[in-house]
Amino acid sequence: MSPVTLSRYLIEQTRSNNTPADLRFLIEVVARACKAIAHQVQKGALGGVLGSMGTENVQGEVQKKLDVLSNEILLEANEWGGHLAGMASEEMDNAYQIPGKYPKGAYLLVFDPLDGSSNIDVNVSVGTIFSVLRCPDQYLSQNDALNEQAFLQPGTQQVAAGYAIYGPQTMLVLTLGNGVIGFTLDRELGSFVLTHEDIQVPQTTAEFAINMSNQRHWEEPVKRYVDELLTGQDGPLGKNYNMRWIASMVADVHRILTRGGIFMYPRDAREPSKPGKLRLMYEANPMSFLIEQAGGASTDGRQRILDIQPEGLHQRVAVFLGSKEEVERVTGYHQ
Ligand code: AHG
Ligand code: MN
Ligand code: MN
């Protein structure tokens, strides 16, 4: 049988699940941009793309050259096609307007252009995370500037989400709200080819991911849970756990979608005003949508992440996601 490319998959989705043609186009454009980013990432030192820009983003983080380049690639690819009303990104303080010379479309695209910045220069997997929302009607009819308010929709409103991971293989993992599928970039064909159908997160696991160096700053429920994981067979959980922490959310979530596990970035006492490190709109929401669509669970310790009403584009949130049994356990400890 000939390989099922992303294009063919999306066309078949239009036939069987009424995926709108403009959403199909949007996903194809994002995938094309991710191929371009993969190409840049892969060049590394040969392309002069490693290292820092010497600038900071809105969260006060140092921007890498590849953060900025990836952001530009996504903007340029997506602004002219008429499928978007606006974009927002980790690397831009405010919402991005579609330039007046191009038609506006029905969707909003939110992204983390390059996730795992700290790993770029050391040749460890990084990725692009994206989330697609519908633009509320009131902003479509207005001719004036699209504002941040249009984007502030809970994760349950996402119509699609996914990530590209730039690792030993470049992959695109996607949900349109009916399960999760994975494509692998065939560099000879230049196409993403369907390689992972109906991805499922195992309900149980013996693997956890957390940055242990922050232990002293955690809240009590997280301390208790991780203590129990560490006591292994002799503790209340009655089994030994293994730990993995890549420090690229994309890579940690990809592992969990592949073989299960729990990923945690809890809120901690380092910056009490911020509920955790990860960002709701372009990290936690798309990943939570994928994880739930694959049969896993995702909470901020207190509630389902997808139910949170966002209050800002760059809002942070605590994240507990992955195998259901473990996410429910640590969430229970918070109650
Ligand atoms: P980004 O590179 O987009 O800023 O995101 C990095 C995030 C996430 O990918 C990862 O899970 C986490 O930061 C790692 O945090 P620590 O450096 O605290 O381990
Ligand atoms: Mn990130
Ligand atoms: Mn990033």
Side-chain angles (χ1 to χ4, degrees):
M1 247 197 30
S2 59
V4 176
T5 60
L6 176 67
S7 306
R8 176 167 166 189
Y9 174 83
L10 291 171
I11 286 170
E12 285 171 358
Q13 283 296 305
T14 304
R15 285 188 201 136
S16 59
N17 288 319
N18 293 322
T19 301
D22 51 348
L23 179 60
R24 189 176 85 203
F25 179 68
L26 188 168
I27 302 291
E28 292 220 48
V29 173
V30 169
R32 210 175 303 142
C34 289
K35 276 191 261 182
I37 296 171
H39 191 66
Q40 294 297 332
V41 167
Q42 198 196 9
K43 284 186 196 167
L46 297 177
V49 292
L50 301 183
S52 296
M53 282 293 285
T55 50
E56 284 185 353
N57 65 17
V58 65
Q59 5 242 336
E61 297 163 345
V62 173
Q63 289 180 304
K64 303 274 185 169
K65 286 183 194 166
L66 274 170
D67 283 326
V68 174
L69 190 59
S70 305
N71 193 59
E72 280 165 7
I73 289 173
L74 280 156
L75 292 180
E76 278 168 23
N78 280 288
E79 65 181 6
W80 54 268
H83 52 292
L84 290 181
M87 292 182 256
S89 153
E90 178 184 342
E91 305 304 341
M92 299 185 294
D93 299 8
N94 303 308
Y96 181 84
Q97 312 287 332
I98 299 297
K101 57 182 169 178
Y102 302 123
K104 273 195 202 166
Y107 295 100
L108 299 170
L109 179 66
V110 191
F111 47 83
D112 176 352
L114 204 59
D115 173 67
S117 291
S118 69
N119 283 318
I120 297 171
D121 296 343
V122 294
N123 200 4
V124 168
S125 298
V126 291
T128 298
I129 310 173
F130 64 93
S131 162
V132 182
L133 295 160
R134 266 190 205 90
C135 184
D137 288 346
Q138 76 243 47
Y139 300 97
L140 284 175
S141 47
Q142 281 171 5
N143 284 327
D144 41 302
L146 181 85
N147 64 36
E148 172 168 340
Q149 217 53 40
F151 291 82
L152 302 183
Q153 308 176 38
T156 47
Q157 298 299 309
Q158 292 172 104
V159 292
Y163 61 80
I165 177 167
Y166 314 117
Q169 304 104 44
T170 290
M171 286 189 65
L172 182 77
V173 176
L174 178 69
T175 184
L176 299 171
N178 54 351
V180 180
I181 57 259
F183 301 83
T184 304
L185 181 60
D186 182 326
R187 288 188 190 274
E188 280 136 50
L189 291 178
S191 311
F192 280 108
V193 173
L194 182 62
T195 46
H196 296 61
E197 271 179 275
D198 191 23
I199 296 174
Q200 291 285 329
V201 180
Q203 303 282 303
T204 59
T205 183
E207 202 160 68
F208 70 98
I210 193 164
N211 184 341
M212 287 293 295
S213 71
N214 299 323
Q215 190 169 27
R216 68 189 183 286
H217 306 294
W218 297 338
E219 295 180 328
E220 262 337 294
V222 181
K223 282 187 180 156
R224 171 186 168 194
Y225 176 62
V226 175
D227 279 348
E228 291 182 4
L229 296 174
L230 296 177
T231 46
Q233 212 156 28
D234 306 326
L237 306 184
K239 62 178 172 183
N240 293 327
Y241 285 77
N242 191 19
M243 198 196 89
R244 288 285 182 272
W245 182 253
I246 302 175
S248 284
M249 189 191 200
V250 158
D252 281 309
V253 168
H254 190 71
R255 183 189 60 254
I256 289 170
L257 283 170
T258 308
R259 67 177 189 211
I262 177 168
F263 171 94
M264 295 171 274
Y265 212 119
R267 108 187 4 239
D268 65 45
R270 283 174 298 171
E271 290 180 277
S273 62
K274 292 179 185 161
K277 175 178 182 185
L278 299 175
R279 280 62 51 112
L280 177 62
M281 300 291 298
Y282 41 82
E283 289 174 325
N285 269 344
M287 291 311 203
S288 299
F289 192 20
L290 287 164
I291 288 285
E292 284 198 5
Q293 283 293 317
S298 178
T299 75
D300 70 348
R302 286 154 178 95
Q303 61 168 324
R304 186 182 174 215
I305 285 183
L306 293 182
D307 284 335
I308 296 174
Q309 172 60 50
E311 283 161 8
L313 270 184
H314 302 286
Q315 173 176 345
R316 293 170 193 254
V317 67
V319 176
F320 300 84
L321 62 75
S323 296
K324 220 175 204 163
E325 188 182 69
E326 298 295 337
V327 174
E328 283 172 358
R329 192 193 314 276
V330 67
T331 303
Y333 289 180
H334 284 77
Q335 269 136 24

